[in-house]
Amino acid sequence: MSDSNSRGQVNGDGPEPRSKLNLAAKPFMLPSRRTNAAPSSSQGDSNGSSNSSSKIQDIAYIGPTHLPVNTRVWNSISSFSLEDIARTVPPARPAQSQIINVFPSNGPPATASCLKSPFQNPASQTSQFPFGPILLDNGVIQLRLRDSITVDMTVEGSVKVVNGNHNIAIAVSSDTMATAMHHPNGIVFQNGPRVDIAAVDARRKYPYIRFAKMWQKGISLTSARCALIYLVDAAGTRTTSDMISMDMEADYVNQVFFNGVVPAAHNYVDQWQIIRSSSYQLGQEGSLLFQVNGFRITQGGDGLVKISRSNNRCSIRTSPTNGCATVTTNAIHCTASLGTSSHLFVRREERRMHFDGATFIVRNAGHSAGFDELDRLRVY
């Protein structure tokens, strides 16, 4: 076979026909549908790039919550026009004026040396959050302090303290008849004459969970791995058929805090009056003193927060450094801490409970019993 016949042949099927199309050209793409509400940006320039303004218009915002949707996907699956139900402008963020700054500062902006000091004055705090009490959407008066500590109050007089550094929360009801504490070492819930306790080791060295209940008959106690419930009363320690119902997933702190609170009952008029009548003072070594809603709230230079009511019916303390927490009312006294002296202690009248992470001991009417580090029952 000659060279002229071999040219343009593929497997002997004959000469290859010449194409009239430009094989180097870009493939043709069918343009997508467009709407005036959110035009698409499927077409680019000669280099295949599109500008940023057309990319923004590929997103439309639907409904009262301004849900973002892709306009091309919406046009392909829905029969509703985006011109009637969507907007192309992103929703505006809530105005800062919705959070009232009660104690504005006219001082100079904070410097780097001021931010590193143990005390941040009001001028430096305004760059992070409002200084002084503010009103939340649910009618709660909130005071944000240093070291991730917040104090919430209601018009009725209940108070809640949250220590964000150590996951500690304490709440006392307005009549001080109910108290709750969530701590890494356990949960304490007091309602009237009854106190429910759940204790766990915050260091996770001992995996046991112990429960106790202080009530009119004495103190009932058990462990998660124990099938029996014991009662410590004036006669000693013995088994009982009583039940201990402690929900480890329940939010007892908010239950106590919102107990007796009627939402929107005051139309926020009383809240604004409390905020306007509040005051603060700057003390030595970076301490702060607030007077809000009948509560005296102080924070020392080391971050320790102390809260007391003017009638001395309740007292709360917590520290962001060592994770200690204390709450005292006419019905209960409870302390907890982390670190080398990690413990949980509860006292109501003559009934007491002490937990150090390993041993769990209750005392009542001159008798003591509990569980040791191996989760075995011990009668002392």
Side-chain angles (χ1 to χ4, degrees):
M1 184 178 294
S2 63
D3 295 340
S4 60
N5 294 333
S6 62
R7 295 177 182 176
Q9 292 183 0
V10 179
N11 297 329
D13 293 337
E16 180 182 1
R18 294 184 178 181
S19 175
K20 296 182 180 180
L21 300 177
N22 185 5
L23 300 179
K26 297 173 61 176
F28 175 76
M29 301 294 294
L30 181 65
S32 60
R33 293 183 297 174
R34 295 188 179 186
T35 60
N36 295 331
S40 63
S41 59
S42 59
Q43 294 181 351
D45 54 11
S46 58
N47 296 328
S49 62
S50 59
N51 53 35
S52 59
S53 61
S54 61
K55 288 183 178 180
I56 297 177
Q57 294 179 350
D58 278 342
I59 302 298
Y61 301 89
I62 298 177
T65 59
H66 306 296
L67 178 67
V69 296
N70 188 289
T71 57
R72 286 177 288 182
V73 175
W74 178 270
N75 292 332
S76 62
I77 64 175
S78 177
S79 60
F80 293 95
S81 175
L82 288 175
E83 297 179 357
D84 301 328
I85 62 175
R87 54 182 296 179
T88 58
V89 181
R93 300 183 62 181
Q96 184 67 22
S97 59
Q98 294 179 1
I99 301 179
I100 304 300
N101 188 351
V102 182
F103 301 127
S105 175
N106 297 325
T111 59
S113 60
C114 180
L115 293 176
K116 293 180 181 179
S117 65
F119 167 67
Q120 296 177 353
N121 56 25
S124 63
Q125 287 193 3
T126 53
S127 61
Q128 300 178 1
F129 47 78
F131 179 75
I134 61 176
L135 179 60
L136 303 183
D137 294 337
N138 57 357
V140 173
I141 301 172
Q142 185 177 89
L143 179 63
R144 301 179 183 179
L145 303 176
R146 304 190 313 270
D147 302 313
S148 302
I149 296 181
T150 61
V151 181
D152 293 350
M153 294 161 283
T154 63
V155 175
E156 290 77 8
S158 59
V159 60
K160 178 177 68 173
V161 182
V162 177
N163 186 341
N165 287 351
H166 297 284
N167 296 325
I168 300 173
I170 306 171
V172 179
S173 63
S174 57
D175 56 0
T176 67
M177 294 301 296
T179 304
M181 174 190 289
H182 282 214
H183 191 272
N185 276 332
I187 302 173
V188 178
F189 174 53
Q190 175 260 325
N191 186 14
R194 173 171 170 170
V195 182
D196 291 290
I197 305 168
V200 296
D201 183 17
R203 297 166 296 185
R204 299 297 185 267
K205 184 178 180 180
Y206 301 94
Y208 315 122
I209 304 177
R210 283 74 177 265
F211 301 93
K213 181 180 69 173
M214 299 180 181
W215 54 314
Q216 63 272 15
K217 290 186 178 181
I219 303 179
S220 300
L221 72 153
T222 187
S223 176
R225 300 186 179 184
C226 183
L228 300 176
I229 299 177
Y230 302 92
L231 175 64
V232 179
D233 57 4
T237 303
R238 61 181 185 274
T239 59
T240 178
S241 60
D242 180 58
M243 300 298 295
I244 297 180
S245 57
M246 189 72 178
D247 187 2
M248 299 293 291
E249 302 295 332
D251 188 359
Y252 295 104
V253 171
N254 280 326
Q255 291 182 22
V256 171
F257 179 66
F258 289 105
N259 182 30
V261 176
V262 180
H266 307 276
N267 294 325
Y268 298 164
V269 176
D270 297 336
Q271 286 89 334
W272 288 123
Q273 182 62 31
I274 292 174
I275 291 176
R276 292 189 181 97
S277 61
S278 58
S279 61
Y280 82 99
Q281 295 178 359
L282 298 178
Q284 298 179 353
E285 299 181 357
S287 62
L288 278 172
L289 169 61
F290 290 90
Q291 298 282 354
V292 184
N293 197 24
F295 289 96
R296 176 186 172 92
I297 305 171
T298 62
Q299 185 174 32
D302 57 351
L304 177 64
V305 175
K306 301 178 182 179
I307 302 173
S308 61
R309 192 171 288 179
S310 57
N311 54 15
N312 295 324
R313 296 182 61 186
C314 73
S315 174
I316 300 175
R317 299 178 60 177
T318 184
S319 173
T321 56
N322 56 9
C324 72
T326 303
V327 56
T328 303
T329 65
N330 295 335
I332 189 176
H333 173 70
C334 178
T335 65
S337 66
L338 300 173
T340 56
S341 60
S342 178
H343 78 282
L344 177 65
F345 174 78
V346 180
R347 183 184 74 233
R348 172 171 170 78
E349 297 177 348
E350 63 176 352
R351 303 175 179 90
R352 301 183 181 185
M353 186 283 304
H354 183 269
F355 173 70
D356 61 0
T359 59
F360 180 86
I361 302 175
V362 299
R363 297 179 177 90
N364 180 39
H367 300 276
S368 300
F371 296 94
D372 60 8
E373 63 276 3
L374 298 179
D375 208 26
R376 298 173 300 188
L377 178 68
R378 296 292 186 182
V379 179
Y380 303 95

